[in-house]
Amino acid sequence: MTGQTLTPSSCGALRIEQLVKQYRPGQPVLKSISFAVQGTGLTSIIGPSGTGKSTLIRCINRLVDPTSGKIMLQADGQAVDMAQLKGADLRRARRRIGMVFQEYNLVERLTVMENVLTGRLGYLSAWRAWRRKFDEADIQQAFELLQVVGLATFASQRADALSGGQRQRVGIARALMQQPALLLADEPTSSLDPKTSVEIIQLLHEQGVRRGIPVMVNIHDVELARRYSSRIIGMTGGHVVFDGAPGELTDEHLNTIYGGRAWLN
């Protein structure tokens, strides 16, 4: 990357330091968030609506610009501060962060295969990206990923013909096409039925382990987070109030995170 010196880092795939985001002056949504994500495994972020979970995920990949703090991403043995990047440097760094969206963000008129291949657009020249001219190796990889997510027979179908769970699988395959160093998912199960939700979180967990990358998921289902996460981060009021293994998450912690006790019964 130009414009910023990259230095070797041994601090893990992601390190966040004193991250602050405020949409209005004096009203921060994220209040000096700090933590590190190292190695593989699924990290679930839990907390009530409006506490900053989605803002945190979107700050990490710069869909939202942070107000202050550092977002140190490690990829290919080097670390860069995502919070400071601009222009071409930012675009190059972002292609190493896969993103799975709550509302899928597919191009409805394109086929499943074409949607998966868009995960490689960040690696193409502007001319080839405009023409959607992909290498044969990219096409082969897309077919393999469709097999991984269980949609090999749907490659030629339009995205708007799929169910919600199938669309989310396409979104996961598209994110994996980026060959990410970090995979993020913003409430990927919020529109899905319980069975499909389990399948999607299990798929994210398995792919993180298989590819040796960390996965961070913003999720409302606490029991699902406990089942598949190696780590849970609990947020409330823009602060991290719990950070530990699923087995360490007690009812008292949940009371602190969500407030009240009636929902625990």
Side-chain angles (χ1 to χ4, degrees):
M1 295 179 188
T2 60
Q4 181 166 354
T5 301
L6 297 176
T7 57
S9 173
S10 59
C11 297
L14 179 71
R15 188 175 77 253
I16 293 177
E17 299 179 3
Q18 302 297 313
L19 183 64
V20 174
K21 173 59 184 179
Q22 52 185 16
Y23 295 101
R24 297 179 179 177
Q27 300 180 35
V29 175
L30 300 178
K31 303 172 183 178
S32 297
I33 300 290
S34 296
F35 62 84
V37 177
Q38 300 182 6
T40 62
L42 190 147
T43 297
S44 288
I45 306 170
I46 65 172
S49 297
T51 198
K53 302 187 305 299
S54 290
T55 296
L56 173 60
I57 290 288
R58 290 170 176 266
C59 277
I60 291 172
N61 69 359
R62 287 289 302 279
L63 289 176
V64 170
D65 292 334
T67 302
S68 62
K70 294 183 178 181
I71 305 169
M72 303 301 298
L73 173 71
Q74 181 181 344
D76 305 319
Q78 297 178 312
V80 63
D81 186 358
M82 293 291 296
Q84 298 299 318
L85 295 180
K86 298 179 180 179
D89 289 343
L90 177 58
R91 289 191 294 273
R92 279 190 288 268
R94 275 169 120 178
R95 66 189 185 187
R96 298 307 309 278
I97 303 178
M99 182 71 175
V100 179
F101 295 88
Q102 177 181 358
E103 298 299 333
Y104 319 125
N105 278 30
L106 304 182
V107 183
E108 300 290 332
R109 62 182 175 79
L110 296 183
T111 66
V112 167
M113 171 61 74
E114 289 170 328
N115 270 283
V116 174
L117 283 168
T118 61
R120 295 300 294 172
L121 289 176
Y123 292 87
L124 302 181
S125 67
W127 174 245
R128 293 186 67 196
W130 181 75
R131 297 183 63 198
R132 294 194 178 93
K133 189 171 181 59
F134 298 96
D135 293 336
E136 186 62 34
D138 290 336
I139 296 172
Q140 180 60 37
Q141 183 186 5
F143 272 117
E144 292 172 357
L145 283 171
L146 286 177
Q147 290 179 327
V148 167
V149 301
L151 293 177
T153 60
F154 292 81
S156 61
Q157 288 199 22
R158 280 175 49 131
D160 56 9
L162 303 180
S163 68
Q166 290 169 335
R167 292 184 187 196
Q168 199 57 286
R169 289 174 181 271
V170 175
I172 292 171
R174 176 185 59 192
L176 294 175
M177 273 296 293
Q178 297 177 223
Q179 298 180 345
L182 172 68
L183 184 59
L184 306 175
D186 186 15
E187 298 188 25
T189 63
S190 63
S191 301
L192 305 178
D193 63 75
K195 178 179 180 294
T196 305
S197 295
V198 170
E199 293 171 349
I200 292 298
I201 295 300
Q202 184 177 23
L203 179 60
L204 289 168
H205 166 73
E206 289 174 348
Q207 289 306 302
V209 172
R210 177 181 175 184
R211 298 168 191 280
I213 60 173
V215 180
M216 294 185 65
V217 178
N218 169 8
I219 188 170
H220 283 294
D221 191 325
V222 174
E223 293 311 310
L224 199 53
R226 279 175 158 157
R227 181 174 175 182
Y228 287 102
S229 304
S230 56
R231 177 183 181 186
I232 293 177
I233 294 175
M235 292 181 61
T236 191
H239 294 284
V240 171
V241 295
F242 175 84
D243 187 349
E248 298 171 351
L249 184 66
T250 67
D251 285 355
E252 290 304 318
H253 290 128
L254 291 172
N255 182 42
T256 299
I257 294 167
Y258 291 99
R261 303 188 62 86
W263 70 278
L264 293 172
N265 299 324

